[in-house]
Amino acid sequence: MTLATRTETVLTREQWHDREQAHRTRADELTAGRRDRAARGETHPVDDFLYTYYSYKPGLLRRWHPGAGIELADAADSARATWSWYTPGATAGSLRVDAAGFTTVKSDLVALCERMLRLTAARTPRFGCFGLHEWAMVYRAPEARHAVPLRLGQAGTDDVVDAHELRCTHIDAFRFFTDDAVPRNRFIPTRADQPQREQPGCLHAGMDVYKWAMKLGPLVPGELLLDAFELARDIRALDMAASPYDLADWGVAPVAIETAEGKAEYVRQQRGFTERGNALRAAVLDASLPGHSTG
């Protein structure tokens, strides 16, 4: 995969330094809870998920990149000059992201990210899953998946699953279903067919925008990366609020998807996340891989 032709935008040292500082401040605010808990040896069943599931440390979020097609004036004497995937710009003393080098060396990864972002955004969203993937992960489970009590107990949780059709389309949720839950799902998602099955109404697909943006590394402007992280954090909050777990001790009010009101609230938020996710997919593609926008 090659980059489309793009006119370089030049940022003065003051401009890019201000953007870098603003990015670091925002990243520090977003990750403060995680860093404080880690220092105390504590964990959080909702907020820590994005750091353990995706395995990206707060420090990675703090590193600002301008993205492809941006030249940083008077940057050659900065620490950035030692970072991977930076190369001298057109003017003396400047740096830019080596977008062509990155996409050449990591062509398979870049192609996967582009395909997942583009195809997911193009697909019609589905809103009938009601977050039951989390319930399917504990359906008739012999032991608890997490050290958090079930809001309706094991029998009540199983009854909710029994009363619904499971419609999970996301392999990384489906792979955690209990053996009894697997045959109840309408779909059998696999890793091989993920690009053809992923759809933008799925909460986990929305969280994965953050993963794809992170994998594209310096091609993605730091501001977009943090937007994707914020989306993933907000989605995770709904994911757990709609789950079978009792998270009252953690200040999480349930979205009771076993009720009509809970289902309506879940879908309302799901639609909003779909819009935000698709807007970010298009923005990431346009900024990092011009010529491959979803729009």
Side-chain angles (χ1 to χ4, degrees):
M1 180 175 297
T2 59
L3 287 170
T5 301
R6 165 175 285 194
T7 302
E8 293 280 336
T9 297
V10 179
L11 298 180
T12 67
R13 185 179 182 93
E14 182 180 12
Q15 287 173 326
W16 67 257
H17 186 266
D18 286 348
R19 284 180 60 178
E20 182 178 53
Q21 288 300 113
H23 174 91
R24 288 176 177 175
T25 298
R26 182 183 173 196
D28 286 346
E29 291 172 350
L30 289 170
T31 62
R34 168 67 173 182
R35 290 183 288 107
D36 290 346
R37 287 191 300 273
R40 298 193 301 269
E42 299 174 359
T43 59
H44 193 290
V46 179
D47 293 345
D48 286 344
F49 175 83
L50 297 181
Y51 305 99
T52 57
Y53 180 73
Y54 292 116
S55 301
Y56 298 133
K57 296 181 179 180
L60 281 176
L61 283 165
R62 199 171 190 267
R63 177 167 287 196
W64 177 78
H65 297 290
I70 306 294
E71 185 170 303
L72 306 179
D74 302 317
D77 62 346
S78 68
R80 187 180 302 271
T82 66
W83 295 1
S84 298
W85 308 114
Y86 276 81
T87 191
T91 57
S94 69
L95 291 175
R96 61 177 173 82
V97 171
D98 184 8
F102 186 94
T103 56
T104 298
V105 173
K106 297 180 177 289
S107 58
D108 289 346
L109 175 62
V110 172
L112 174 63
C113 293
E114 183 271 333
R115 189 162 63 250
M116 291 302 303
L117 291 166
R118 176 174 53 81
L119 293 179
T120 302
R123 203 156 284 123
T124 301
R126 297 177 178 179
F127 301 114
C129 68
F130 305 122
L132 283 163
H133 55 276
E134 289 289 342
W135 299 67
M137 294 178 193
V138 296
Y139 178 63
R140 297 181 182 175
E143 57 185 35
R145 175 174 167 78
H146 297 295
V148 180
L150 296 174
R151 182 166 53 83
L152 303 179
Q154 186 64 61
T157 299
D158 293 346
D159 287 345
V160 171
V161 177
D162 287 335
H164 294 79
E165 179 186 38
L166 299 179
R167 303 175 184 178
C168 181
T169 57
H170 189 74
I171 177 59
D172 287 317
F174 179 74
R175 67 190 176 97
F176 292 110
F177 280 24
T178 65
D179 290 343
D180 286 336
V182 167
R184 299 184 61 86
N185 201 50
R186 177 186 291 187
F187 312 101
I188 305 296
T190 66
R191 186 67 64 199
D193 70 7
Q194 188 176 6
Q196 288 72 44
R197 193 181 293 278
E198 204 85 303
Q199 52 88 18
C202 170
L203 262 61
H204 276 259
M207 283 192 286
D208 276 355
V209 176
Y210 165 58
K211 176 179 73 174
W212 303 123
M214 185 67 84
K215 287 183 180 297
L216 287 169
L219 302 185
V220 176
E223 294 85 353
L224 278 182
L225 177 65
L226 294 187
D227 287 346
F229 178 81
E230 283 198 88
L231 173 64
R233 186 188 62 173
D234 293 346
I235 289 176
R236 174 61 177 174
L238 175 61
D239 198 33
M240 285 293 95
S243 78
Y245 300 108
D246 183 351
L247 295 164
D249 288 346
W250 301 91
V252 178
V255 174
I257 55 90
E258 70 274 16
T259 68
E261 294 79 10
K263 286 182 173 65
E265 175 59 20
Y266 184 90
V267 171
R268 184 190 69 79
Q269 293 193 46
Q270 192 178 24
R271 289 182 181 276
F273 292 142
T274 299
E275 292 179 2
R276 287 173 63 187
N278 275 346
L280 274 173
R281 290 181 181 99
V284 168
L285 284 171
D286 183 60
S288 61
L289 301 168
H292 296 274
S293 174
T294 63

